[in-house]
Amino acid sequence: MSQIDHQVHSIGPEVAGSRIFKFIAFLYGIAAYLVFFVTILYAIGFVMGLVVPKTIDTGTDTPAAEAVIVNLLLMTLFALQHSVMARKQFKAWWTQFVPRPVERSTYVLLASLSLLLLFWQWRPLPAVIWDVGNPDLAVTLVTLSLAGWVLVFTSTFIINHFELFGLHQVTNHLVGKEATPPRFKTPLLYKFVRHPIYLGFIIAFWAAPVMTAGHLLFAAVTTLYIFVGIALEEHDLVDLFGDEYRQYKQRVSMLIPWRRSV
């Protein structure tokens, strides 16, 4: 998800400023966050094949070509929703209809619903690409995948987890607190890589003791999307922070921590 929460105009300030709307917006933000939280927990089980009723390798048997097409369409739908709705131009248009305090929560909710649709309609491709027979190495890969998910969550809290997922905005609106202008900062992990959240996803998706064709398709396409998302996000960050972000790009690597800022 984008780390920028652009400040854009929303219509109906007399409605958005009313007490009842503030409370409804707050409840809506909590509901959107809870849907996200359930979705991300399901995503962990879906990718790793743990606990959840339908994983990346289970489901209705489908001809391989049909499965690939359906899965690509599902991932494309998520990618379009996730990227288009995060752009400044879309937000400027979108907030003519959706009040600004709940814009981020709406984005999070729709992203979560598109992911839940993907989990529901995903078609397995069970052909095995690799199967790690060594039990110690298999456990190491599972641990590495879990570490990737931990990196994702940790990175969101380092920058502002609740702002990233819309709760900060609806809480501020409820208590009448003005949003502060975005500041450029590089706390902790962000001093080593520019996108630790995306790095965590890549590790989580690829560190698998058993890699099926379906899992490989998911990992490859989401990794490609991550690089596209980084390009779009960094374009917005340069627009927002200018030379400050350009210098950061020169000092700190994108995903692999081979450089660090001084």
Side-chain angles (χ1 to χ4, degrees):
M1 298 200 179
S2 172
Q3 296 170 26
I4 306 171
D5 183 25
H6 291 291
Q7 303 303 310
V8 287
H9 178 68
S10 62
I11 61 170
E14 68 284 350
V15 175
S18 68
R19 288 184 179 181
I20 186 65
F21 174 81
K22 288 181 177 181
F23 185 66
I24 292 172
F26 179 69
L27 294 179
Y28 175 76
I30 291 176
Y33 179 82
L34 290 175
V35 172
F36 151 76
F37 194 73
V38 169
T39 301
I40 197 67
L41 289 180
Y42 197 101
I44 296 171
F46 179 80
V47 172
M48 298 188 68
L50 302 172
V51 182
V52 297
K54 186 175 186 297
T55 73
I56 201 166
D57 294 323
T58 62
T60 305
D61 289 336
T62 308
E66 180 184 334
V68 169
I69 291 170
V70 170
N71 294 343
L72 287 175
L73 287 173
L74 290 167
M75 288 187 284
T76 299
L77 175 64
F78 171 76
L80 289 174
Q81 180 277 325
H82 195 259
S83 289
V84 172
M85 288 190 69
R87 305 281 68 79
K88 177 172 61 177
Q89 296 86 349
F90 183 89
K91 289 184 179 185
W93 171 80
W94 180 235
T95 48
Q96 296 177 78
F97 312 101
V98 175
R100 183 167 60 85
V102 298
E103 181 272 327
R104 187 68 184 182
S105 292
T106 302
Y107 171 80
V108 169
L109 177 61
L110 292 179
S112 299
L113 292 176
S114 65
L115 268 181
L116 290 173
L117 176 65
L118 185 151
F119 301 150
W120 175 37
Q121 291 298 320
W122 181 264
R123 306 295 197 263
L125 289 161
V128 176
I129 307 303
W130 72 67
D131 186 351
V132 176
N134 184 303
D136 292 335
L137 183 55
V139 170
T140 299
L141 287 172
V142 170
T143 303
L144 187 60
S145 181
L146 286 171
W149 290 109
V150 170
L151 178 59
V152 170
F153 279 103
T154 302
S155 301
T156 65
F157 279 101
I158 288 172
I159 52 174
N160 193 333
H161 176 88
F162 297 110
E163 182 176 16
L164 197 60
F165 297 106
L167 280 180
H168 190 75
Q169 292 87 330
V170 294
T171 302
N172 280 349
H173 186 58
L174 179 66
V175 300
K177 182 179 178 181
E178 290 293 326
T180 56
R183 287 191 307 112
F184 180 68
K185 52 186 179 180
T186 58
L188 297 176
L189 297 174
Y190 290 85
K191 296 183 185 298
F192 298 92
V193 291
R194 302 198 302 272
H195 300 282
I197 295 174
Y198 295 137
L199 175 59
F201 278 125
I202 291 172
I203 294 170
F205 295 159
W206 285 96
V210 178
M211 178 66 77
T212 63
H215 193 150
L216 180 64
L217 177 69
F218 180 86
V221 173
T222 51
T223 300
L224 176 62
Y225 169 64
I226 281 171
F227 282 100
V228 173
I230 286 174
L232 293 171
E233 183 174 317
E234 292 201 329
H235 179 272
D236 289 347
L237 288 165
V238 168
D239 282 349
L240 185 61
F241 297 112
D243 287 339
E244 196 173 15
Y245 194 81
R246 292 188 187 96
Q247 292 166 9
Y248 176 61
K249 287 179 67 176
Q250 293 175 353
R251 295 195 311 269
V252 179
S253 60
M254 181 188 295
L255 292 169
I256 308 300
W258 62 276
R259 294 179 288 173
R260 68 172 289 185
S261 57
V262 294

